[in-house]
């Protein structure tokens, strides 16, 4: 992995943490996710009209990814309903790279060097440490929130692998990304209309600003990640992208007034060391 790709993925991680924080700060998490998906789809339309259709080899990957993103959106919204940003985000994002590595090895026989695997384990360990970084250093989370967070991680791993291989099979990863977000926006707006038909207009008036900003951040974040997965090993990109938990932690400290304690300091050091090892291994 080149330094250029590394910094691009780190910027993607910041954007990912930002739109997740926008979802959590809203009062209705599912509607917030629907609005973000809708606007990220709308923002792709001008570019799609210019660039055209995806390559035929990528279509089945697009279909799979849309299904996985639907599951991801549902379980993430449920997780945020029952748990806090500082707990849900580290668990769902921290466990995703390990699931991705296991599925990649089992389904695609793709293995990474030992140094890279150690780096990924360090990143995961640091992310999980942040989840334990409360005042009593315990994982204060109820069973439903934990279940939904782990389901979110599973679907994250599934769409990561689908999109990684989709971007590689596509003639242009950018076109693949644009169509992915357009299809996601179209698919997710349907349950949104069905569920919120009586208060759809008022909901749009309430969430359009955060939806537009979140949609832009989501498009930038995952668009960079998909491009990076066509340039570097999918599992390594997926792991480094989970440094977004660091940005989420800082957002919680700034906006939710959480404390930056010693456990979080240790977690930051562990994650950064893991990123270094992961980069040096590729």
């Amino acid at each position: 992995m080149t330094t250029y790709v590394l910094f691009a993925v780190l910027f993607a991680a910041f954007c990912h943490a930002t739109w997740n924080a926008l979802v959590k700060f809203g009062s209705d998490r599912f509607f917030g996710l629907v609005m973000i998906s809708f606007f990220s789809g709308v923002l792709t339309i001008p570019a799609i009209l210019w660039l055209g259709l995806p390559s035929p080899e990528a279509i089945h990957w697009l279909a799979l990814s849309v299904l996985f993103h639907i599951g991801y959106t549902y379980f993430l919204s449920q997780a945020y309903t029952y748990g806090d940003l500082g707990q849900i985000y580290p668990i769902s994002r921290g466990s995703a790279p390990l699931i991705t590595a296991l599925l990649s090895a089992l389904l695609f026989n793709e293995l990474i060097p030992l140094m890279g695997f150690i780096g990924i384990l360090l990143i995961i360990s640091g992310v999980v440490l942040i989840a334990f970084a409360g005042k009593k250093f315990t994982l204060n989370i109820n069973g439903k929130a934990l279940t939904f967070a782990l389901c979110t991680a599973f679907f994250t791993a599934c769409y990561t692998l689908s999109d990684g291989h989709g971007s590689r099979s596509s003639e242009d990863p950018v076109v693949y990304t644009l169509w992915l977000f357009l299809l996601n926006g179209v698919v997710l707006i349907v349950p949104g209309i069905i569920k919120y038909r009586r208060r759809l207009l008022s909901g749009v008036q309430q969430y359009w600003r955060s939806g537009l900003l979140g949609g832009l951040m989501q498009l930038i974040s995952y668009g960079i990640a998909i491009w990076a997965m066509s340039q570097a090993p999918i599992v390594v990109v997926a792991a480094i992208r989970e440094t977004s938990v660091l940005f989420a932690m800082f957002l919680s400290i700034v906006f939710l007034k959480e404390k930056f304690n010693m456990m979080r300091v240790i977690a930051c050091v562990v994650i950064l060391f893991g990123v270094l090892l992961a980069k040096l291994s590729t």
Side-chain angles (χ1 to χ4, degrees):
M1 176 182 289
T2 65
T3 303
Y4 178 77
V5 173
L6 172 64
F7 280 106
V9 175
L10 291 175
F11 178 68
F14 168 74
C15 294
H16 191 276
T18 300
W19 77 255
N20 269 262
L22 289 172
V23 172
K24 179 58 185 176
F25 295 155
S27 57
D28 188 326
R29 277 74 181 188
F30 184 72
F31 191 80
L33 281 168
V34 169
M35 289 298 295
I36 286 174
S37 297
F38 170 74
F39 277 108
S40 65
V42 169
L43 290 170
T44 66
I45 293 175
I48 284 176
L49 293 175
W50 178 264
L51 295 175
L53 297 171
S55 59
E57 295 80 6
I59 291 178
H60 66 285
W61 292 113
L62 277 171
L64 270 177
S65 184
V66 169
L67 291 175
F68 291 142
H69 273 87
I70 292 172
Y72 165 80
T73 300
Y74 171 76
F75 285 110
L76 180 62
S77 65
Q78 292 299 305
Y80 281 151
T81 298
Y82 292 100
D84 295 328
L85 176 67
Q87 297 285 341
I88 297 300
Y89 198 83
I91 295 171
S92 62
R93 305 309 305 184
S95 52
L98 182 58
I99 299 174
T100 304
L102 292 174
L103 290 177
S104 181
L106 289 173
L107 299 177
F108 301 102
N109 198 31
E110 291 188 359
L111 302 176
I112 59 174
L114 179 60
M115 183 183 295
F117 186 71
I118 294 173
I120 291 173
L121 290 180
L122 286 174
I123 293 172
I124 294 171
S125 300
V127 169
V128 174
L129 276 176
I130 292 177
F132 283 87
K135 294 180 180 179
K136 297 181 180 179
F137 302 104
T138 58
L139 186 59
N140 184 23
I141 184 172
N142 64 50
K144 284 187 176 181
L146 179 60
T147 300
F148 286 129
L150 292 176
C151 289
T152 301
F154 173 76
F155 278 95
T156 299
C158 289
Y159 76 63
T160 297
L161 289 173
S162 177
D163 290 333
H165 288 278
S167 67
R168 292 177 178 181
S169 64
S170 175
E171 296 176 358
D172 188 342
V174 174
V175 174
Y176 177 93
T177 302
L178 293 172
W179 275 97
L180 172 64
F181 278 97
L182 178 62
L183 293 173
N184 276 335
V186 171
V187 170
L188 288 174
I189 198 63
V190 174
I193 292 174
I194 294 173
K195 183 176 181 179
Y196 300 100
R197 58 185 179 275
R198 294 183 179 178
R199 53 189 181 92
L200 184 63
L201 183 59
S202 61
V204 172
Q205 292 174 339
Q206 179 183 355
Y207 284 97
W208 75 267
R209 292 180 181 84
S210 61
L212 180 59
L213 177 59
L216 179 61
M217 292 294 101
Q218 188 183 65
L219 182 60
I220 293 172
S221 170
Y222 202 50
I224 292 174
I226 292 176
W227 166 80
M229 286 187 287
S230 69
Q231 306 294 314
I234 295 172
V235 175
V236 174
V237 172
I240 293 177
R241 184 168 172 257
E242 303 315 330
T243 56
S244 57
V245 74
L246 292 178
F247 299 110
M249 180 188 68
F250 289 125
L251 289 172
S252 296
I253 291 171
V254 173
F255 294 104
L256 302 179
K257 309 303 179 184
E258 296 183 3
K259 292 183 179 180
F260 188 61
N261 54 35
M262 182 56 65
M263 183 71 83
R264 284 175 167 161
V265 173
I266 295 172
C268 289
V269 173
V270 171
I271 290 173
L272 292 176
F273 188 57
V275 170
L276 178 61
L277 286 182
K279 181 192 181 302
L280 292 177
S281 70
T282 57

